[in-house]
Every structure is written in C-alpha cells, then in structure tokens.
Amino acid sequence: MSINQDNRPLHARITFLKVTVCVIFVLFTVQLWRLNVLNHDYYAGLAEKNRLRIVPLIGPRGVIFDREGRPLVENIKSIDIVVYRDEISDVASLARFLEDGEIIPEIQFTARLQQYRRYPVFHPVVIKENVTLDDIAYIQSHQAEHPEIKILETPKRIYRYGSLAAHLLGYVGEVSDAQLKTAEYRGSKPGDIVGKFGVERFYNRSLTGVDGQLKVLVNSVGKVKAELEKVPSKIGQELNLTIDLDLQMAAEEQMSDKIGALVALDPRNGDVLAMVSKPDFDPNRFAVRIRADEWRELVENPDNPMQNRVIQNSFSPGSVFKIVMSLAGMEKGLVNPQSSVYCSGGETLYGHYFRCHEGGHGFVDLRRAIVQSCNVFFYRLGMNMGIDTISQYAQMAGLSIPTGIDLPNEVAGLVPSAEWKERVYHERWYAGETISVAIGQGAVSITPVQMARAVGGIALGGRFAVPRVVRPLGPQENPGLKAVEQSWNSEHIRFLRDSMWGVVNAGGTGRAAAVPGFDVCGKTGTAQTISDAGRQKIVASSRKDFESNAWFVGFAPKDDPQIAVAVLVQRGGYGGQAAAPVAGKIFRAYYQKIHTPKRPIPPSLISDAAMQ
Amino acid sequence: MIINRRYFSEFDWISFLIAISLSLIGIAFIYSATRDASRTLFLWRQLIWLACSLILFAMVMLIDYHTLTDHVHFLYGFGLIFLLGVLVFGSEVRGHRSWLRIGTIALQPSEFVKIVTILALVRFLSRGNKEHLSGSEIALAAGITSVPMLLVMLEGDLGSAMTFLPVLGCMTLVCGLKRKFVVISVVAALSVAPVAWFSLKNYQRQRIVTTFNSELDPKGVGYQAQQSKIAIGSGGVLGKGIFQGTQSQLGFLPARHTDFIFAVLTEEAGLAGALAVLGLYFWLLQRVVGFTRAARDRSGMLLVVGVASLLAFHLLINVGMVLGLIPIMGIPLPLLSYGGSSLMSTFLGLGLILNVQARRFFY
C-alpha cells in the first residue's frame, strides 16, 4: 500500500456521484410534496374508501294482522350471500370459487351479474338467499381470498298460513326496472323488495320500512374491526286487516277443492271478513326469489292461480241478478207482490224460445218467482222494463262500477245498455237481447265483490259501503270513498228480504245455505258459460269445462244484516247444490263466532254508532 | 492489531448515532405495522437483530480492513459456496429461493455476499495508480461482480442481483473509466434492454407498466403501488399519528413492515416525518462520503465508495418504488425495514467504513 497515490481525480468523480444523489433526493422531496400536499385530499379519500364499508340495514316491512290482532304476515331473518362488485378482482376465479362451493352455478352467477349491470356498482348482488350453515362455513373460511363476498342478514316476509288469503295479502318481490319508472313505486331503489300484489302492493308505501345503514371499519381482508356509525332501520307501518282469521279459515276449507271465489263482508261498513280465490298460490315462494320454472308453472296454469277472482274477474251472475230486477220492477211500479205470471217451462219472445225450469212453475207471483227462480216471470219483467232501466238500477246497486276496494287491479264488470252497445259495437240494441239480461245472462258480467256489496247494500235499504280490507286507524281515513245511498221504498226492501229468506228457509233453491237460528237470506244462480246453441253441439262430450257457474249470494240475519256473502263455484253446476252449501258453512261459522262469548269480535266504529 | 485511545477518539460517533436512530425509528414503525396481527413479535425480533448487528459492528471495528482485503479470496469463496448452498437447500419465500433457514431464523446470504464482493473489488481495483483503469482490470472487476450476481439472479431475486451493478459502476467510475468504456457500456445496456424486457417474467413486466399508471389495474398488479401511494398521500403534512395509519393498521398495504416501511412512516408521521428520515439518511451519506477524503489509502477510499454506493442504491431504489416513481423491486430500506440480513449487512458495511475513518492516522 503506497501512500503516495494521487487520489485527486478520484475525489472529483466522487463529487459527481454526490451531486447525482442530491438530485435524486430533491426528486423525492418533490414527489412527497405532490402526494402529501397537492394530492392529499385525493389519497385521503381513497384511504377512507378503503377502510369504510357501508352495510345496508334493510327496514323490515310492517306486520299484517287480522281484525283480532292475530299476525298473518311477519318477517323472519334470512341469511344471504352477497357480492360487492367493486371489490371483485377476478370474476372468473370468483365464479369458479362459488361453483366449487356449490353456492351458485357459474352460469347463474354470470346471469345474476348481468342483471345487476345497470345498478350502481356499490349495490351488493344477492347470489344466494336462505343459505345453509355449510355455505356460511365455506364463505368464511375463504374470506381472505374473497373479501368481496359477504354474508348479510336481511328480513324476509313470512306468510304464516301459507296460501291462506294469498290473493288478498299478495306477495313481495324485487322491484323491476319497469316498476321503478312508475309513480306507484317512486322512492324505491333497485334491489328493493316491494309489494307486487294484493295488500302488499296497495299499501306498499305504508308497509315499507326505512332502510338504515351501518358504517364499519374493515381491514384488507374485509373483517369488520369496528362499527363507526349506525343509522338504525325502521320497520314499516302495521296493518290491521278487516279479515277474520277464523272465518277466512272456514272459507278456505270450503273452497279448497273448487275453482272459484268467495267473499264475505260486513255490509254496514264494508269490512271484508273473508276473501278466497281458488286456485291459489303460496306467497312464501315469492318472498325468496322464485325459481323461473315455478313462476312459469303459475302463470301458464289455465286456471290462473295468480288472479284474484273476487275482484279481477267478472262473471255472468245468472239468477242472482233477479234481486236487482225485482227491486227495479217494484221501484218503477212495473210489478208488485201481487203480480202473477203463468210459467209453462219456457216462452217464445221476439221469435225466440227462452227456457225456464223443466215442466214449468205454473202461476207464479213475485215472491215465488224469486224463491223458485222462475225465468219466465223475469223475461216478462225485463221486456216491460227495457235495458236502460235495468242498467240504471244495476248501476245504483254498484254493479258495472269498481267498488273502490283497497286492492289493486279491480275490474268494473259490465251491465249493458243501449248507449254501451252503440259506443262499443256501433249497433242498435235489440229488445230480444234484454230477455237474456233479465236473468243475468248475455253481456252482463259482475265481480263477486260487487255481488256481495250489492246484496248487502240492498238488504240495508240502499246503503252501499265501500268494501275495505284494511281497518282504518281513524274515522277520517279514506275520505274520498263514501258509502253510496239510494232512497228506496222500505216496503220493497222488506219484501225482498222476506223473499230471499224464503229462498233459503221456505222451500227455495238455496235451502243448503240455511243455519238454524240465524235467518239467512239469499239467492242462487246458475250461470251458463256457453249459449244454448253451443251447448247442443258439445252435449255429447259432457265435459266439465262447459258446466255452469254456480252462485250463491246472501246475507244474514234477515232483520239486521251483519254479513253478506257471495260464493262462485266455477263449473260447479247448480247454484243451490254447489254454492249454497259453501255459503251456509260461512254463515254458520260467523253465527258460532258471534255466539261464542269468550272472544267477541271487536265492534267496528260504524256499528258502534248504529247501536246507540 | 493495535487498539489505543486514539482509535476510540477518532471513532465517528455522529454517523454511528444516526444509524442507531434510524434503526430505532424503523423498529417503532415495524411495531406499528405488525402489532395488530403479531403483537410484539416483530418488535422483539428486530431488537434482537439490532443487538446482533451491533456485535457484528464491534467485531468489524476491531479488525483492520486491510486484514479483510488481504484474505478476501477466502471470504469470496465462502460467499459463493453459501450462494450455491442456498440454491440447493434454500427455502422459497414469495418466489425467491434466496433464504437459508436455520431453525426459526431465516437469513439471506446474498446480503452479506454484496459486502464481500465490495471487499474483493477493493482489493483488485486499489492496486493500480493510473488515471484510468485498463481493459483487463475492468474485465476482472466485472468478473468478480458477475459470478455472485448471476447466482443471486438464479435464486430468482432479480432486484437484489441488480444492486451489484451500481456498486461495480460507482467503484470503477471513481477509479477512472475511459470515455469509450462509458460509451460502450451505455450502448450495451441499451441494446440489452429489449432482450431483458422479454426475458422478464410476466409479473415483473407488469410491475414496470403499472408504475407509470398504478390506477390501471388497482386490484391486480398495481394494487401494491396504488396502496403505497394512498398510504403516503393520505398521511398529509403531519401524518395520522403513530398506530393511527389506516392503510398500515388495517392491512391494506402489503409488505408494510419490510419493503414498504417508508410508506407506513409517511402515513403515520406525514411529510414531516418522511423528510426527517430522508434528512438523516442524507446526513449519514454525506458524512460517510466525506471519509473518502480522510482515507489513508486508495483501498480505504474505495471501500467507503463501495459501501456508500450500496447503501445509497438500496435507499434510492426503495424510496423510489415506495413513492411510485420506479417499478416495484424487492429491495428493503436499509436500517428501517424489518429483516436481520439487511440490518446486519448494513451495520457490517458501516463498520467497515467507520473502520477506515478510525484508522486514518494509523500507518
């Protein structure tokens, strides 16, 4: 090692290296300034987004009770598996992971993502509902690799009695894109569960809860470290239905093997006590995302289980329409209790033979015409009355006008008039057509709820309360819908009540509806679903599809009507055989109920006032 | 071996204390970054590594560096055997077969081989006394460097292998390179670049691409770079406070106690803390490079240049990648990052430098 080496050029080169390092340090300072000062807000925002996650707390829908406070529809907690799309790093590997764990097949998962494409990216995609413990274990043990998968607790609708009153209660489901654009569902967000049918839909806004949210601090593998801020969810408003569970159960049982409709209501205030439409469906199947094949099965069923026949379908009333005819005839002075007609089993009018009961009724007055349901008497009456008077009185009884019941999709039905035919068919009304209308055939078409309301209102002397399925909280509810009042002669009303009492209790067509001790009044109907001429052609095949619709419409008790019932059994044959026994069971159930001292029905507001 | 009072009085306490301070700052933030998952495990481990480093440091201080350079062929041979051993018996951590596991302790021999290579270069480059190095000298220096470098490359640790180059570059540059050599090496580097690009592994290429646009793929390859920038930028001027950094505490920042400790520091101590630490490093480098003037001979001077350039390169690459200026390479921040091999080899290097400084009056 010599000490006389000349190291001066070396020092110059070292200085060069020092300067290079200095420059890089300056560069670092500039970059730190850029990150920490100039773009601090941007990065602070990203750091916040990293660590905060918003967990939606879904507000449960309001509980629905029957008129005695027994819960019919409640909520249960359901565990869902959801995916946060903004945290997915590799869709293909996520799909494989979910398929491997038997959570969801890859194809369905892709479809699900596709479905949510238009929704905001922070909106979690529900990929499986009502998961099993195995599912949860699988997800949790792989949480670190897939922090985008979360387990979420959400309230689910549960219909305690399955298909009981399914059409009335309705069902819920995820709001569709089309619905979001309508005023009815304003305020709903994509993915929200909304009422889609029945009370769930009509009272959707009241029933809907208020969603809350939970802000949580999460680490990089999605584990919640702390709750930062909680806005609790609120449950939706409770609803008290007018339905009586006991009566509804009796009605369901009676209708279980039939196709048709049943409605029982309190004519004094419009409270619907029972409402059945058959065939039906189980709304619980909609509370969880319904499978495509199950849905297809329901909507493609030729018997339309998704239709509420009580309000959504109208039918020929057949002979029950004679109640309206009798009232109109008396009010117009065309008939009186003493009027008499000879029935020989049919009559030729306007060159056409109209049938009545085989063998004929002989001489019939108005009372007998009602009790034994003589067509010839009403052919004559209809001929004298003319279509416009029929139409006028039918409308006064609320027929061909929606009742205004608090359920969606109610139809108006139809009672023809000359003006109607001119407007729709651009044709004159022929007098011969009136003959069919007089016995509730032809173009006449009425919903079961209209029928029950009409008979109840007539029994009360012309006061037609608006049917309702939800009990109002105060007297000021439903201010727009008032009972319709007609001033009809009370003698005529009394005569009609007596005649209808006779139908059930004095050798009439509706004796199967009788309840000892309870003065049931009513009228049967057997409505042909095909013309006589058509019947001739297929008589040989004798297929049940072409059998008549059986009706029974009635009220009880005779002098203080408290309950009105309309029963329709489609393809049931004769009203007296197929429909009257069903109505009888309902009257009996009601009678037993009001005579059981233990659980009296809470008196409604209107009947309270009436009693004073 | 001569030890007297003068030796101690010449000892540069300032650079020693700067190094100790940086290590302690490092330990504080290592604890902050790992206490959630591992409590005090890493805190204690790094304290033990620091103690080991100081023992090693003291031992190096006692040996005259000339003794080391005189016997460097043993050390060099020993180093190569170790590297080969790692290739055969080493354990793989994150794709690198560069670890030698003894019980629960894992060491990276490559870190120590870097120091040995410097010693070897010192020995062969300090013999001449000319203005420039001859071609054969350059070839020899390149040969000395490339053997361990290739072995480290074979381990898969490309980033670590790269650090041999600037050391070689700086040491030969200081010894004097003719203009034509500089031109040739620049041309060679440029022509090799495309070949190198295609010989890189896929993830390595993507790291380079995402450096310039880390938002490009924030969930994938760019994740680490992006999370590092978020940690740093969200720290602001004064930081979120120690133990308060959400990026580090909640684990959004990968490798936070090792390669990305500077991001943890900046998130929790802010721009102020980052500049303070950079200032300490600058002071240390400044001081150490100053020793070249005091060095008794060319070998001492070259030793200082070699170790200082190794230290500086580690520092610049690490901080550059953490700040998102260059692609991510697995290079720790000397003194601050968790890891025994890095800490011990750094103190080993510092020991050699301070050895040169303390022995400047011994002839």
Side-chain angles (χ1 to χ4, degrees), chain B residues 87-307:
Chain B
L87 271 177
V88 181
F89 306 107
S91 23
E92 209 167 294
V93 176
R94 267 175 274 128
H96 301 169
R97 185 179 283 276
S98 59
W99 300 83
L100 205 59
R101 208 171 273 284
I102 309 148
T104 55
I105 304 159
L107 286 173
Q108 271 184 300
S110 53
E111 294 293 323
F112 300 96
V113 173
K114 286 175 195 169
I115 303 288
V116 171
T117 308
I118 290 170
L119 287 170
L121 285 171
V122 166
R123 171 160 179 176
F124 289 99
L125 290 176
S126 59
R127 283 187 304 196
N129 192 15
K130 293 193 213 78
E131 186 90 5
H132 298 288
L133 291 173
S134 66
S136 60
E137 280 172 321
I138 291 170
L140 186 65
I144 289 169
T145 317
S146 56
V147 177
M149 182 176 147
L150 281 170
L151 286 173
V152 174
M153 260 169 131
L154 283 175
E155 290 172 355
D157 196 348
L158 195 65
S160 201
M162 290 257 299
T163 56
F164 284 91
L165 286 176
V167 171
L168 174 69
C170 289
M171 289 177 78
T172 50
L173 191 75
V174 168
C175 288
L177 287 171
K178 286 193 180 129
R179 197 170 298 259
K180 71 172 180 189
F181 281 110
V182 178
V183 173
I184 286 167
S185 47
V186 168
V187 169
L190 285 178
S191 56
V192 164
V195 181
W197 171 260
F198 289 107
S199 64
L200 284 176
K201 286 181 182 151
N202 219 8
Y203 80 93
Q204 291 168 326
R205 269 201 294 269
Q206 279 178 324
R207 275 182 177 178
I208 295 171
V209 171
T210 50
T211 300
F212 306 106
N213 191 356
S214 56
E215 283 86 356
L216 206 67
D217 178 19
K219 282 283 142 192
V221 181
Y223 180 78
Q224 198 158 0
Q226 175 70 356
Q227 295 305 325
S228 177
K229 275 160 93 174
I230 291 172
I232 290 166
S234 65
V237 176
L238 294 173
K240 299 174 184 171
I242 192 150
F243 307 147
Q244 302 298 316
T246 56
Q247 289 288 101
S248 355
Q249 301 294 322
L250 297 169
F252 290 101
L253 188 63
R256 55 196 175 279
H257 63 297
T258 55
D259 295 356
F260 282 81
I261 193 73
F262 190 75
V264 178
L265 164 86
T266 315
E267 186 185 21
E268 299 191 339
L271 179 71
L275 288 181
V277 165
L278 283 181
L280 284 175
Y281 273 118
F282 193 74
W283 191 10
L284 180 65
L285 282 173
Q286 199 64 22
R287 229 178 145 75
V288 158
V289 173
F291 298 165
T292 53
R293 295 204 172 272
R296 165 170 76 137
D297 50 18
R298 188 174 271 203
S299 65
M301 189 178 164
L302 276 177
L303 184 54
V304 172
V305 168
V307 174

Side-chain angles (χ1 to χ4, degrees), chain B residues 71-89:
Chain B
H71 300 96
V72 76
H73 40 280
F74 292 115
L75 294 171
Y76 188 76
F78 209 59
L80 293 186
I81 289 164
F82 254 100
L83 287 180
L84 282 167
V86 167
L87 271 177
V88 181
F89 306 107

Side-chain angles (χ1 to χ4, degrees), chain A residues 5-7 10-11 13-14 18 22 24-25 28 31-32 35-36 40 42-43 50-51 218-220 225, chain B residues 36 126 131 173-176 227 232-234 236 246-247 250-252 278 282 289 292 298 301 316 323:
Chain A
Q5 284 170 320
D6 179 14
N7 288 340
L10 278 68
H11 288 301
R13 292 164 196 148
I14 288 168
K18 273 165 75 176
C22 281
I24 296 174
F25 266 80
F28 285 173
Q31 174 74 348
L32 276 167
L35 295 174
N36 290 44
H40 168 66
Y42 170 70
Y43 288 110
N50 257 351
R51 75 191 184 100
V218 294
N219 66 11
S220 61
K225 306 290 282 186
Chain B
D36 185 59
S126 59
E131 186 90 5
L173 191 75
V174 168
C175 288
Q227 295 305 325
I232 290 166
S234 65
T246 56
Q247 289 288 101
L250 297 169
F252 290 101
L278 283 181
F282 193 74
V289 173
T292 53
R298 188 174 271 203
M301 189 178 164
L316 299 181
L323 290 178

